[in-house]
């Protein structure tokens, strides 16, 4: 039994998200190898070799893998992964894009976003936006798994000394191409991977008032989210929506400002480690899930919070 | 070009689901069902491509019991031309659905298969990618913008930290994200008209697909309820708690 972890990286550095999958793989047991597929990605591979618990790092360095195009990378993952009992990655947009494609090429199912490892073939995962947890047993020979990062501690990034081995497989399907990147202008992280999220609801009153949250978020290195009520009211665009039909997030800290806490919203954020609610209605349902609640007018509390950070 | 839109009947997003007392599954008896919200976005995008003259025909397809015809009719009312129901009582997993759709792709030869990025019941986010693998089509997942440029499909994708634009050779599978569009509502005359549009039923056997499950659900439980925390008196106390007690600042 051995696990192949698909590393997430930008060719020069290994992304921290990879470390969570390593921990999940340790709970499965067996050797842990890491596949680094990219272009000019030796530095990322060297970092992967230092991660505690990793036995071997496989590097596929080829221009075809430069932008992680699914058509090319999935073929490589299916080929290399065929020799493993488990193929894992942390559930990030990259992994969600590539892994199911690789699973289908191997003719196996995928277990998405696991929260728990019960045994080598049995896992806990959320369904219905986290309103239920299913315990599922895989009947496939190869278990392809994505791991919810927040459910597993990060493995130590230092302390390992894995062998680095180059593999020459070059799969270039030649059917897709990278055109451009539009990296968000701010230093703010993406909602789904942010460690801290500051979210506004209908209580914000209008779109301009979200600037207050932006300022707090910039100080915290946080992402800014919104409830569906705020999106439907036209305050902010719908890609900021956190909730059952929006983004499902589980940061270390979620600050809900002017959000009542309807079930659809809670479904998107209730797995956050710490929840803070700032609301003037002390009976708002959000207080039933908040670790720290502040009953106050957000137009006073948020600027004050901003000045104290 | 023809666009095939795969849609799913799921529990309405506003319903708070309950787990059955025997922990076998979620209780769906007498619960309001609807088109999966991400699938609505897929239908809308396909219909817009038809309105722009890029698509010649929009076909909606769903796999499930007879009940899913209701959602197919919704798709027809929103502008699809015809519907296909893959009739099955079994709970089909993403890989099986991908295989059913792959067989349909073989038959229908669409230029684009449009579908939601995930269903709000299974939360798998797999079917589109699996279909692309099985049909050897290109994939544009989590799409926030779709543009047909000759033989190529330009898809802007929502990725970590921003957007990524890729070029895909057609035929392609596109899975929709929230930002792609705002789905329209079906008007009453269109709902009436949809009743007369063609809806064909086929079976997995017709398509020669084995839908045997790859996963066995052992148990479904309620998540741990969060305990209500404390209320703080003011902002200073909040900041202090977050720093000292929670250690998140």
């Amino acid at each position: 039994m051995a696990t192949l972890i698909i590393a997430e990286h930008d060719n020069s550095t290994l992304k921290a998200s990879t470390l969570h999958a390593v921990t999940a793989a340790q709970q499965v047991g067996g050797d842990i190898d890491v596949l680094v597929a990219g272009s000019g990605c030796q530095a990322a591979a060297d970092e992967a070799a230092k991660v505690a618990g990793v036995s071997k790092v496989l590097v596929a360095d080829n221009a075809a893998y430069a932008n992680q195009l699914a058509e090319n990378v999935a073929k490589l993952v299916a080929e290399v992964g065929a020799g493993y009992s488990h193929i894992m990655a942390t559930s990030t947009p990259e992994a969600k894009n590539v892994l199911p494609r690789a699973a289908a090429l191997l003719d196996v199912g995928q277990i998405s976003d696991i929260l728990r490892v019960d045994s080598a073939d049995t896992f806990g995962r959320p369904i219905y936006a986290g309103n239920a947890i299913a315990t599922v047993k895989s009947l496939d020979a190869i278990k392809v798994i994505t791991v919810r990062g927040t459910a597993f501690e990060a493995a130590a990034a230092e302390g390992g000394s894995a062998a680095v081995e180059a593999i020459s497989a070059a799969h270039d399907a030649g059917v897709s191409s990278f055109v451009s990147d539009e990296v968000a202008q701010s230093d703010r992280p993406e909602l789904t991977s942010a460690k801290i999220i500051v979210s506004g609801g209908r209580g914000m009153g209008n779109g301009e008032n979200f600037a207050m949250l932006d300022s707090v978020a910039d100080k915290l290195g946080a992402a800014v989210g919104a409830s569906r009520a705020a999106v439907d009211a036209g305050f902010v665009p719908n890609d900021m929506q956190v909730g059952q039909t929006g983004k499902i997030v589980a940061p270390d800290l979620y600050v809900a400002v002017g959000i009542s806490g309807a079930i659809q919203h809670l479904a998107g954020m209730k797995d956050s480690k710490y929840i803070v609610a700032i609301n003037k209605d002390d009976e708002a349902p959000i207080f039933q899930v908040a670790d720290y609640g502040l009953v106050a007018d957000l137009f006073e509390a948020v600027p004050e919070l901003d000045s104290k950070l | 070009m023809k666009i095939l839109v795969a849609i799913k009947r799921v529990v309405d997003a506003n319903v708070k689901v309950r787990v059955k007392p025997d922990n076998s599954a979620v209780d769906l008896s007498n619960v309001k069902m609807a088109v999966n919200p991400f699938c609505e976005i897929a239908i809308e995008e396909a219909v817009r491509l038809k309105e722009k003259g890029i698509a010649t025909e929009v076909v909606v397809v769903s796999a499930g019991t007879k009940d899913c015809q209701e959602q197919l009719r919704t798709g027809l009312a929103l502008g699809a031309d015809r519907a296909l129901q893959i009739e099955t009582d079994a709970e089909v997993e993403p890989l099986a659905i991908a295989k059913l759709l792959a067989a349909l792709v073989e038959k229908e030869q669409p230029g684009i298969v449009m579908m939601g990025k995930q269903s709000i019941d299974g939360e798998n986010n797999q079917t589109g990618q699996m279909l692309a693998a099985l049909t050897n089509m290109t994939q544009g997942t989590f799409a926030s913008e779709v543009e047909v440029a000759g033989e190529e499909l330009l898809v802007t994708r929502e990725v970590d930290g921003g957007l990524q634009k890729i070029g895909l050779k057609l035929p392609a599978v596109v899975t929709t994200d929230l930002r792609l569009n705002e789905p329209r509502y079906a008007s009453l005359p269109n709902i009436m008209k949809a009743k007369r549009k063609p809806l064909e039923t086929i079976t997995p056997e017709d398509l020669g697909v084995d839908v045997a499950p790859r996963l066995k659900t052992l148990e479904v439980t309620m998540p741990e309820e969060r305990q209500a925390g404390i209320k703080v008196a003011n902002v200073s106390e909040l900041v202090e708690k977050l720093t000292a007690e929670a250690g998140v600042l």
Side-chain angles (χ1 to χ4, degrees):
Chain A
M1 201 168 68
T3 299
L4 180 69
I5 289 179
I6 314 307
E8 184 151 342
H9 63 89
D10 60 4
N11 291 320
S12 51
T13 54
L14 185 73
K15 290 197 187 163
S17 57
T18 309
L19 302 173
H20 300 278
V22 173
T23 302
Q26 282 168 337
Q27 293 181 15
V28 167
D31 282 347
I32 300 170
D33 294 354
V34 175
L35 174 65
V36 179
S39 176
C41 57
Q42 191 61 38
D46 291 341
E47 271 190 54
K50 287 191 206 130
V51 175
V54 174
S55 313
K56 196 164 61 177
V57 175
L58 304 169
V59 194
D61 197 332
N62 190 286
Y65 310 131
N67 296 295
Q68 306 291 324
L69 293 168
E71 293 77 8
N72 302 343
V73 178
K75 244 185 191 146
L76 174 73
V77 170
E79 185 183 279
V80 178
Y84 289 83
S85 60
H86 295 74
I87 303 174
M88 288 181 149
T90 304
S91 322
T92 59
E94 302 256 329
K96 289 177 182 175
N97 188 36
V98 170
L99 250 64
R101 187 166 179 122
L105 293 175
L106 289 164
D107 192 28
V108 299
Q110 178 181 294
I111 307 139
S112 293
D113 220 19
I114 63 163
L115 303 169
R116 228 176 52 219
V117 174
D118 291 352
S119 72
D121 64 3
T122 306
F123 310 91
R125 62 174 301 266
I127 52 173
Y128 294 88
N131 286 309
I133 310 293
T135 305
V136 294
K137 183 184 166 82
S138 166
L139 309 174
D140 282 315
I142 301 173
K143 285 106 176 90
V144 177
I145 294 164
T146 59
V147 173
R148 180 171 285 193
T150 46
F152 296 87
E153 294 292 330
E158 300 282 341
S161 56
V164 180
E165 205 176 282
I167 48 174
S168 57
H171 294 289
D172 190 353
V175 289
S176 53
S177 59
F178 169 80
V179 178
S180 61
D181 250 340
E182 193 186 305
V183 179
Q185 287 305 309
S186 69
D187 296 331
R188 259 179 245 146
E190 179 79 350
L191 264 177
T192 46
S193 56
K195 287 214 167 353
I196 302 179
I197 294 173
V198 182
S199 255
R202 202 193 297 274
M204 297 300 295
N206 61 46
E208 284 80 64
N209 290 333
F210 268 75
M212 294 196 304
L213 301 188
D214 291 343
S215 174
V216 171
D218 286 340
K219 285 191 180 157
L220 295 174
V224 178
S227 69
R228 175 148 194 173
V231 171
D232 283 350
F235 299 172
V236 290
N238 60 355
D239 55 301
M240 284 172 66
Q241 187 188 323
V242 171
Q244 182 167 27
T245 54
K247 308 240 150 92
I248 307 230
V249 299
D252 291 342
L253 173 63
Y254 189 90
V255 184
V257 181
I259 292 176
S260 67
I263 54 160
Q264 304 96 304
H265 186 71
L266 299 184
M269 46 62 89
K270 69 185 168 56
D271 291 330
S272 306
K273 209 178 246 172
Y274 289 97
I275 296 174
V276 167
I278 301 175
N279 204 303
K280 65 180 175 192
D281 173 11
D282 67 348
E283 289 187 1
I286 192 78
F287 287 118
Q288 288 162 22
V289 299
D291 298 281
Y292 303 107
L294 175 62
V295 181
D297 185 341
L298 69 93
F299 294 101
E300 287 162 22
V302 174
E304 195 185 338
L305 175 64
D306 193 17
S307 68
K308 288 213 158 74
L309 291 171
Chain B
M1 110 175 90
K2 190 192 285 185
I3 299 184
L4 189 65
V5 186
I7 66 169
K8 188 173 185 187
R9 170 184 170 89
V10 297
V11 67
D12 185 280
N14 296 310
V15 172
K16 180 161 171 63
V17 296
R18 282 174 206 289
V19 170
K20 284 184 184 168
D22 67 358
N23 291 117
S24 61
V26 164
D27 191 354
L28 293 180
S29 48
N30 305 314
V31 168
K32 189 181 172 214
M33 304 296 276
V35 177
N36 179 48
F38 293 102
C39 303
E40 286 185 335
I41 297 174
I43 298 169
E44 176 67 31
E45 197 64 19
V47 171
R48 287 187 191 186
L49 286 171
K50 194 183 167 195
E51 287 166 350
K52 280 186 203 154
I54 292 165
T56 47
E57 189 186 25
V58 175
V59 183
V60 278
V61 54
S62 191
T65 60
K66 210 171 184 60
D67 292 334
C68 76
Q69 291 190 4
E70 188 188 332
Q71 279 63 46
L72 287 170
R73 291 285 174 205
T74 303
L76 294 171
L78 291 169
D81 299 291
R82 63 187 168 91
L84 295 167
Q85 181 216 352
I86 305 171
E87 169 111 38
T88 170
D89 293 336
E91 194 164 320
V92 270
E93 291 171 3
L95 182 63
I97 295 181
K99 287 182 177 181
L100 293 167
L101 293 173
L104 272 185
V105 164
E106 178 78 18
K107 233 171 92 174
E108 297 277 344
Q109 297 288 322
I112 300 173
V113 180
M114 240 350 139
M115 55 208 296
K117 71 165 178 178
Q118 68 187 54
S119 63
I120 61 166
D121 50 359
E123 303 269 355
N124 286 302
N125 194 331
Q126 300 171 7
T127 310
Q129 296 89 316
M130 288 180 162
L131 171 65
L134 298 173
T135 52
N136 214 8
M137 287 162 97
T138 51
Q139 68 183 57
T141 52
F142 324 139
S144 62
E145 209 184 321
V146 175
E147 189 192 330
V148 178
E151 289 299 291
E152 208 181 35
L153 189 68
L154 295 174
V155 177
T156 306
R157 308 176 53 231
E158 297 205 16
V159 294
D160 253 356
L163 300 171
Q164 179 197 57
K165 197 175 203 176
I166 55 173
L168 302 173
K169 211 176 228 178
L170 290 167
V173 177
V174 173
T175 74
T176 62
D177 215 322
L178 277 180
R179 193 178 344 204
L180 187 56
N181 60 47
E182 296 277 347
R184 71 192 69 184
Y185 292 97
S187 66
L188 188 57
N190 286 343
I191 292 171
M192 300 310 289
K193 265 187 241 162
K195 290 184 178 168
R196 292 189 300 274
K197 287 186 179 175
L199 192 157
E200 186 191 342
T201 296
I202 36 183
T203 66
E205 292 73 42
D206 294 339
L207 297 168
V209 173
D210 172 18
V211 294
R214 303 305 185 88
L215 275 185
K216 198 172 152 190
T217 299
L218 304 179
E219 189 185 43
V220 176
T221 53
M222 295 293 284
E224 242 173 80
E225 289 288 322
R226 270 192 97 96
Q227 297 298 315
I230 54 157
K231 282 196 178 144
V232 292
N234 51 50
V235 173
S236 306
E237 193 187 339
L238 176 64
V239 173
E240 189 226 299
K241 293 272 185 202
L242 289 175
T243 314
E245 208 173 272
V248 284
L249 287 192

